[in-house]
Amino acid sequence: MSNKVTDLATGVEGLFIKNTRFNTTCISCNFYLPLKKETAAEYALLPFILTSCGSRYPDFSRLNFELERLYGASLNASAEKYGDYQLLKMSVTVINDRFTLDGEALIKQAADLICGLIFEPKVQDGAFYESDLAREKRKAIEHIKGEYSEKRIYAKNRLIEEMYKGEPYGVAKCGKVEDVEKITGKSLYDAWNRMLETAFIRVNVVGAEVPAGLFEDLTERFARVSRHDITNCKSSAPTKPSAAPRTVTETTAVNQGKLVMGFSSDLYGNDANTLPLLVMCDIFGGGPYSRLFTNVREKMSLCYYCSASSLRQKGLLTVESGVETDNAEKALTEILNQLEIIKKGEFSDFEYDSSLKSLADTFNAYNDSQDSIESWYALKVNNDEIYSPEEIAERIKKVAREDVINAAKGVKLHTVYKLLPENKKDEGKEG
Amino acid sequence: MKREFFESEIGESCVKAVHPSGLKIYILEKPQYNSAYAVFGTKYGSIDTCFSANGEKLTVPEGIAHFLEHKLFESEEQDAFTRFAATGAYANAFTSFDRTCYLFSCADEFYENLDILLDFVQSPYFTEKTVEKEQGIIGQEIRMYDDSPSWRVMFNMLMAMYHNHPVRIDIAGTVDSIAKIDYKLLYKCYNTFYNPANMFICIAGNVDTEKVLAIIEAAVKTDEPVEITRYSEDEPAEVVKPYVEQRFAVAQPMFCFGIKESFPTPERSIKEKVCTSMLIELLVGDASPLYERLVNEGLINDEFSTEYFNGYGYSAIVFEGESSDPKRVAEEIKAEISRLKEDGVDKKLFSAVRRGMYGAAIKQFNSVENIAMQMIDCAVTGCELFDELKYLKALTAEDVYRRLLQLDPENSTLSVINPLEVL
C-alpha cells in the first residue's frame, strides 16, 4: 500500500504519511535544487536564515519563545546532498493537540508558523537584513571549518571531494568558506526567490492527520509564485569507474590514521535496481557478521572500526576505517581481498542470511521513528513508485546469492584517501 | 513477582516488577509499534573502582567496568553478536560513569532475542588469552578517543574539576590501567556487580508483559544478594584549577565550562534534576536573552549545548561548544547568573519554557529507545518513569530561583581546546 502524493502546484507535492503511533506531528518542507559550486553556499544558508527569524518574528528569541509556547515545538533546518542535487529541509515537529492543557490547536499553529517562515522572510528592499546575514554566515563558516575537527567526517568528505572533482556530487553540501563570504543580502534574496520558483518541492506530513488547511494554504501560496524551470531530480549521474585507482595521502596531527576507500558500482538509481548492492555492501561491511568486521577488525585486529556503506543515487560504495599507520597498507590489501571473496561467492550462508534478516528487521522498524520515516520519503523523489519500508523489507528477502555476487562484480576501486599522523613533533600539552 | 502499575496522564502506562532475586524489571507496552527495545543492565560503571563485596574491600584498575562489558559478549562457543546475527536484531552495549547496559532492538523474533540477552549477560567467560587480546583492542579505542577533541575537552574539564572522584578518569581507563586487568579481577567484579539484586531489565515496545515476565522468571539466576558498599576518597568542594587548555588539530577553539557543586548527600532527586534543567533553560536556553546575545555577538554557534551532569557523588552544570573566545562565554554566563540572582527569573519566560519542557517530555515517549533509557535512569537513580511530567507541572518560578541561589559560578573550570596554529 503505497502512499499517494497530492499535487499542490507545478512540481510541488504534498505527501501524507499516516501514522497514528506518535505523540507528535511532523511537517517537513523539502526543496531539491541542482548541486553546483556557484550556488551551493547560498542555497545552504537559506534553511538556516529562514528558520532563525521571519517577518512575524524579527529576532530569534521571539521565535524561540513562540516555539516554547507551542509546547516545545522543534524547528529543524538542514542542507544535504541527494545525489547530484541539494536538498534543503525545513521542518517542524509539535505535540498533538490532545496533550495540551487547554485544547489548543497546536498543529495548525505550527503549520502556519513554518509556512510563514518560508514565504514571509524578514527582508527589506529585496534583501535580507545585514545583521541576520552576518550571523548566519558566521555560523555557516564555523560549521564548515568544524568538519575538520572530527577526522572521521573530514576524511570521508575529502574522499568524496577527490573522487568527484569537477562533478556536482563533489561539491560540498554547504559550499566552501570563500563562497559563503561572498553572499550578500541581495544575492541571498535572489536565491530565496529561485528556490521558491525552480526547486522541486515535497512537503511530507507524518502524523495522524494532515493539519487543517495546510495543503490548501500551500496551493494558494504557490499560486502567487511564478514556477518555472523546475529541477528534475530524477537523474543523478552514476559514478564513472576509474581507469586506474588514485591514492591521495595527507597528514595531520593525530594519533590514529583514517583510511577511506571509494568504489564505483554499476548498480544505481531507484530502490528496485539497487537492492543487491545494498545487501552486498551489508555482507561486506555492515553489521558485526560482515566480512570487514569479523576479519579485518576482529580476527586480524587491523582497524578499530571498519565498515562499508552505499549510496544508491550515485552507485557509490565507501569503506571507512581507523588504522595505525603501520597497518594501513595491510588493511587496504585485506579490505580488497574481502571484496574479492564476495565476488567469488565465497561468503557463508550465515553471512548472507544474517544480512537479509538484519536489513529486513531494520526496515520493518522504520515506521517506529518519525524522523526516519520522514527522511525515507524525502529520499524517494526519484522513484517512479514510492515503496514503504515494509515493502522494501519484503523485497530484500528475495535478493539471491547470485544477485549479491553480480553486484560485487560491478564494484571497482576508484579512489583511496588516507589521513595519517604527522611525524611526532609538537604534541599538545595541558596547561 | 511483586508488581506495581504506573499510569500517566498522557495515556502511557508501565509495569514495574521485582524478581525474588531483587532484579528490577520495567516494561512499557507499545502495541501499535513494530519493534521493541530491551536492556539488561547493572548499576556498575567507571566510577566503581573502590568497593567492598560482602565485607571484602577491593580497589580495581580504572576502566575495568568497560573492559568487562567488551568481554561479556564472548563465550566458550558462540559470541553474542553471532547469536543476534541469526535473528537479525541490532545488538550493542555501553558503559558510562555509573552503569553498564547490554541491549538489542528488533522488529522480529523479540522473545528469541530476549533469551539470548538473558543468557549471555549471565554467562561470563574470561580467560588469560582473551583478556590479553582485548587489551590491544581497547588500547586502540583509548587512542581513538585521545584523537577526539570533543571527548578531550570534557575529560580535561573533569580532571581539572575533581581532585579524587573517579569521574575524572576516562570511562575506558588508560593504557596503563587496563594493563593491570586480569581474568581473576574480571570475575571478582562480575560476581559483585552482576548480581541480580544490583541489576535491571528495561523493555519498551511491541511486547506482551506476561510473556516477558514468564521468560525472565525462568531465566534469571537467583543468586544470594551481594552487599555492596562503594567507597570514595573525600572530594573537596573546590575545583582543582579554574582553567585548562590543550592544543589539537582543530579549526577553531572548543570549550567546556562547568560549575562544580557539592551537596551533603551523594545523589540528586528527580525533582532537583528537573528544577536544574529548567534553571539552565532560563539561563541560556534557546529563548533566553543571554543565548541571543551570545549568538549575535559571534560567541557561540549551533554546537552550543548544556547539561546537568550528575551522578553518585558528583554534580556540575556544564556548558559546551565552539567559540572564538571561550573565556568571554564563561564570563558572560557568570555575569548572567549574578544578574538573575539580583533581578529574579522572568515569569513569562518561565511559563513558556515549562510548556516547552512538558512537550519535550511527551515527545520522548515516541521512541522505544528513549523510553528504555529513561527506565534505566529510574532503575539506577530510584525514580519512577512519569515523575518528570509530574514534577514539571508542579514546578514554580520560586523553586527555580531558590535553586539558582545555590550556584557559585566562581567555583568553576573552563577547559579549552585551541587550534595548533591560527588557521
Side-chain angles (χ1 to χ4, degrees):
Chain A
M1 41 142 242
S2 295
N3 294 282
K4 286 237 162 52
V5 296
T6 311
D7 287 319
L8 304 178
T10 317
V12 184
E13 294 179 350
L15 179 64
F16 171 48
I17 304 137
K18 190 176 170 77
N19 192 323
T20 55
R21 72 194 73 176
F22 303 120
N23 295 336
T24 50
T25 298
C26 168
I27 303 158
S28 177
C29 304
N30 298 284
F31 296 79
Y32 306 78
L33 288 150
L35 188 53
K36 287 184 192 160
K37 195 195 167 300
E38 303 75 46
T39 51
E42 56 188 13
Y43 282 153
L45 207 61
L46 284 171
F48 295 96
I49 199 163
L50 293 174
T51 54
S52 70
C53 56
S55 67
R56 276 186 270 172
Y57 306 100
D59 56 55
F60 65 86
S61 61
R62 254 179 278 190
L63 175 59
N64 286 329
F65 187 90
E66 176 64 6
L67 292 169
E68 297 282 7
R69 204 191 61 75
L70 295 174
Y71 290 82
S74 56
L75 198 55
N76 291 302
S78 68
E80 300 293 333
K81 284 193 209 183
Y82 175 71
D84 291 346
Y85 303 90
Q86 202 175 8
L87 165 54
L88 315 178
K89 191 190 278 286
M90 286 163 269
S91 68
V92 67
T93 302
V94 64
I95 61 165
N96 292 335
D97 297 351
R98 69 188 168 94
F99 295 113
T100 58
L101 301 171
D102 43 12
E104 237 181 288
L106 279 190
I107 301 175
K108 168 91 179 102
Q109 292 181 65
D112 288 346
L113 176 84
I114 190 136
C115 290
L117 291 173
I118 291 169
F119 285 91
E120 299 154 34
K122 182 184 155 196
V123 290
Q124 192 179 37
D125 304 330
F128 281 87
Y129 280 78
E130 198 45 50
S131 57
D132 297 329
L133 181 70
R135 178 186 70 231
E136 296 305 320
K137 278 168 74 170
R138 171 187 67 85
K139 282 162 62 180
I141 289 168
E142 290 180 1
H143 177 75
I144 294 167
K145 286 184 172 175
E147 286 181 354
Y148 172 66
S149 302
E150 287 306 326
K151 299 296 181 286
R152 189 172 177 162
I153 300 169
Y154 175 74
K156 171 95 182 267
N157 288 346
R158 284 287 296 121
L159 170 84
I160 299 297
E161 193 175 32
E162 289 293 332
M163 194 165 164
Y164 297 93
K165 247 184 196 162
E167 296 177 46
Y169 194 65
V171 175
K173 64 182 183 183
C174 293
K176 291 274 182 196
V177 169
E178 56 268 29
D179 298 319
V180 178
E181 279 163 351
K182 281 184 221 150
I183 300 171
T184 65
K186 173 82 178 66
S187 75
L188 194 61
Y189 182 82
D190 293 342
W192 170 70
N193 267 319
R194 283 200 310 277
M195 175 186 91
L196 288 182
E197 289 172 4
T198 68
F200 174 79
I201 300 163
R202 162 72 82 65
V203 178
N204 289 329
V205 175
V206 187
E209 55 195 73
V210 179
L214 171 65
F215 284 173
E216 293 78 5
D217 181 31
L218 284 167
T219 301
E220 206 175 289
R221 285 178 185 270
F222 276 109
R224 295 194 289 270
V225 176
S226 131
R227 296 275 295 157
H228 60 89
D229 301 311
I230 290 157
T231 309
N232 169 12
C233 46
K234 293 194 178 188
S235 55
S236 286
T239 306
K240 288 192 285 284
S242 153
R246 212 161 67 85
T247 299
V248 179
T249 306
E250 291 174 347
T251 59
T252 188
V254 287
N255 290 315
Q256 262 177 352
K258 306 283 171 209
L259 166 67
V260 198
M261 300 159 77
F263 299 81
S264 62
S265 156
D266 55 7
L267 297 181
Y268 66 93
N270 64 26
D271 282 317
N273 291 348
T274 53
L275 286 181
L277 176 65
L278 187 70
V279 176
M280 179 261 146
C281 180
D282 193 66
I283 294 173
F284 185 38
Y289 44 79
S290 68
R291 303 289 318 178
L292 296 183
F293 187 88
T294 52
N295 294 288
V296 185
R297 187 191 123 125
E298 292 290 294
K299 276 192 201 136
M300 306 176 76
S301 297
L302 289 172
C303 320
Y304 177 64
Y305 65 89
C306 190
S307 64
S309 57
S310 63
L311 184 82
R312 62 174 175 81
Q313 292 93 340
K314 293 296 293 177
L316 164 68
L317 188 147
T318 47
V319 171
E320 294 175 66
S321 65
V323 292
E324 306 288 338
T325 308
D326 296 346
N327 286 336
E329 271 316 300
K330 259 189 272 176
L332 183 110
T333 309
E334 191 50 38
I335 290 165
L336 292 173
N337 177 42
Q338 293 301 329
L339 179 61
E340 284 309 309
I341 287 172
I342 299 179
K343 285 183 186 179
K344 285 190 241 155
E346 290 169 2
F347 52 91
S348 69
D349 284 342
F350 174 76
E351 287 158 350
Y352 166 72
D353 292 335
S354 296
S355 183
L356 295 192
K357 278 207 158 181
S358 161
L359 288 169
D361 198 285
T362 305
F363 289 126
N364 277 327
Y366 255 69
N367 269 317
D368 290 349
S369 156
Q370 205 163 26
D371 290 342
S372 301
I373 272 298
E374 196 288 315
S375 30
W376 174 270
Y377 287 100
L379 298 180
K380 295 281 176 279
V381 291
N382 72 338
N383 286 27
D384 296 326
E385 198 176 339
I386 303 175
Y387 296 112
S388 69
E390 285 92 343
E391 286 168 321
I392 293 296
E394 281 311 306
R395 281 169 171 256
I396 287 271
K397 293 177 187 162
K398 296 188 186 112
V399 174
R401 281 187 73 98
E402 272 314 302
D403 300 332
V404 174
I405 295 167
N406 286 332
K409 284 179 179 162
V411 169
K412 294 187 172 60
L413 182 61
H414 189 292
T415 303
V416 176
Y417 175 79
K418 290 182 207 163
L419 184 66
L420 298 176
E422 282 166 358
N423 290 334
K424 295 260 177 215
K425 40 173 195 187
D426 181 33
E427 270 209 9
K429 286 208 177 61
E430 278 184 40
Chain B
M1 272 191 255
K2 206 179 93 197
R3 293 180 199 193
E4 273 181 277
F5 291 88
F6 293 89
E7 281 201 54
S8 71
E9 62 203 38
I10 61 164
E12 308 278 2
S13 58
C14 108
V15 171
K16 179 180 169 187
V18 182
H19 186 262
S21 63
L23 172 79
K24 287 185 215 148
I25 303 151
Y26 297 80
I27 304 167
L28 187 142
E29 286 190 23
K30 284 264 192 190
Q32 276 190 307
Y33 278 57
N34 294 349
S35 65
Y37 197 98
V39 180
F40 194 178
T42 164
K43 192 171 170 174
Y44 173 48
S46 66
I47 62 173
D48 298 307
T49 52
C50 190
F51 56 89
S52 78
N54 289 339
E56 185 197 356
K57 196 168 172 185
L58 264 181
T59 301
V60 293
E62 286 142 358
I64 193 165
H66 172 257
F67 200 102
L68 205 165
E69 174 228 298
H70 270 233
K71 292 321 295 170
L72 208 50
F73 273 92
E74 280 176 17
S75 81
E76 208 165 350
E77 297 102 34
Q78 264 189 331
D79 70 53
F81 276 135
T82 311
R83 295 172 72 186
F84 281 118
T87 68
Y90 166 80
N92 210 342
F94 65 87
T95 306
S96 67
F97 294 109
D98 59 0
R99 64 197 74 175
T100 309
C101 296
Y102 303 84
L103 59 95
F104 71 83
S105 75
C106 66
D108 303 317
E109 302 185 37
F110 176 81
Y111 301 102
E112 289 80 353
N113 288 317
L114 183 59
D115 279 332
I116 300 171
L117 179 72
L118 292 168
D119 182 56
F120 92 84
V121 175
Q122 296 188 98
S123 315
Y125 175 69
F126 315 131
T127 68
E128 209 173 327
K129 215 178 127 201
T130 60
V131 167
E132 210 173 283
K133 191 187 169 206
E134 202 66 32
Q135 275 156 343
I137 293 173
I138 294 181
Q140 280 199 39
E141 186 177 342
I142 292 170
R143 280 163 62 78
M144 190 177 77
Y145 281 114
D146 282 344
D147 271 347
S148 166
S150 52
W151 188 260
R152 286 314 328 156
V153 75
M154 150 114 155
F155 274 94
N156 290 352
M157 181 194 79
L158 292 176
M159 285 185 80
M161 189 178 260
Y162 289 92
H163 298 256
N164 302 317
H165 196 288
V167 72
R168 66 197 297 275
I169 303 295
D170 206 314
I171 289 164
T174 62
V175 173
D176 290 340
S177 75
I178 62 164
K180 294 181 199 133
I181 293 173
D182 62 33
Y183 77 98
K184 287 181 206 143
L185 271 180
L186 287 180
Y187 274 113
K188 273 239 155 81
C189 291
Y190 182 87
N191 291 329
T192 304
F193 293 105
Y194 285 68
N195 180 286
N198 191 52
M199 299 183 77
F200 47 85
I201 294 175
C202 303
I203 297 171
N206 188 348
V207 298
D208 180 274
T209 300
E210 294 309 318
K211 211 168 160 184
V212 167
L213 289 176
I215 291 175
I216 293 173
E217 181 118 52
V220 170
K221 296 173 184 164
T222 44
D223 299 348
E224 279 297 305
V226 175
E227 198 186 316
I228 302 168
T229 313
R230 293 169 165 87
Y231 296 98
S232 55
E233 279 186 64
D234 282 344
E235 174 61 36
E238 298 75 33
V239 299
V240 180
K241 48 184 170 180
Y243 183 74
V244 61
E245 182 183 318
Q246 190 181 359
R247 292 195 177 265
F248 243 99
V250 294
Q252 59 206 332
M254 296 163 83
F255 70 90
C256 195
F257 172 61
I259 300 170
K260 183 178 178 180
E261 296 191 288
S262 52
F263 294 90
T265 54
E267 288 177 291
R268 310 280 46 85
S269 70
I270 178 79
K271 205 172 169 181
E272 287 172 288
K273 289 177 199 173
V274 169
C275 188
T276 310
S277 301
M278 167 66 87
L279 171 59
I280 296 171
E281 282 301 308
L282 294 177
L283 180 65
V284 69
D286 289 353
S288 69
L290 176 60
Y291 181 76
E292 169 143 46
R293 202 166 70 236
L294 291 174
V295 173
N296 282 342
E297 292 184 15
L299 288 167
I300 57 170
N301 57 31
D302 292 343
E303 299 298 314
F304 183 76
S305 68
T306 56
E307 185 192 356
Y308 182 34
F309 178 75
N310 70 94
Y312 198 90
Y314 59 92
S315 169
I317 294 174
V318 177
F319 310 86
E320 229 181 307
E322 295 175 348
S323 179
S324 52
D325 191 351
K327 286 182 182 166
R328 238 196 92 202
V329 176
E331 289 310 314
E332 292 282 347
I333 291 170
K334 289 182 193 175
E336 185 70 358
I337 291 171
S338 304
R339 187 190 71 79
L340 284 178
K341 281 183 181 177
E342 288 277 303
D343 298 357
V345 298
D346 178 340
K347 296 262 166 63
K348 235 174 101 190
L349 186 61
F350 170 83
S351 301
V353 169
R354 195 174 60 171
R355 275 165 77 119
M357 285 177 69
Y358 187 73
I362 290 173
K363 198 175 163 190
Q364 291 294 315
F365 286 89
N366 271 353
S367 149
V368 290
E369 179 178 354
N370 289 347
I371 296 167
M373 292 302 145
Q374 284 192 54
M375 288 168 161
I376 297 172
D377 272 337
C378 295
V380 172
T381 65
C383 60
E384 299 302 343
L385 189 59
F386 307 114
D387 282 357
E388 187 183 350
L389 287 167
K390 204 165 75 190
Y391 288 120
L392 259 175
K393 273 183 116 172
L395 194 67
T396 65
E398 288 71 33
D399 294 332
V400 182
Y401 185 67
R402 274 195 298 274
R403 180 73 181 90
L404 170 73
L405 295 179
Q406 295 178 322
L407 290 194
D408 173 13
E410 293 310 318
N411 192 29
S412 56
T413 295
L414 173 64
S415 159
V416 175
I417 297 286
N418 270 324
L420 289 172
E421 61 242 35
V422 182
L423 292 171

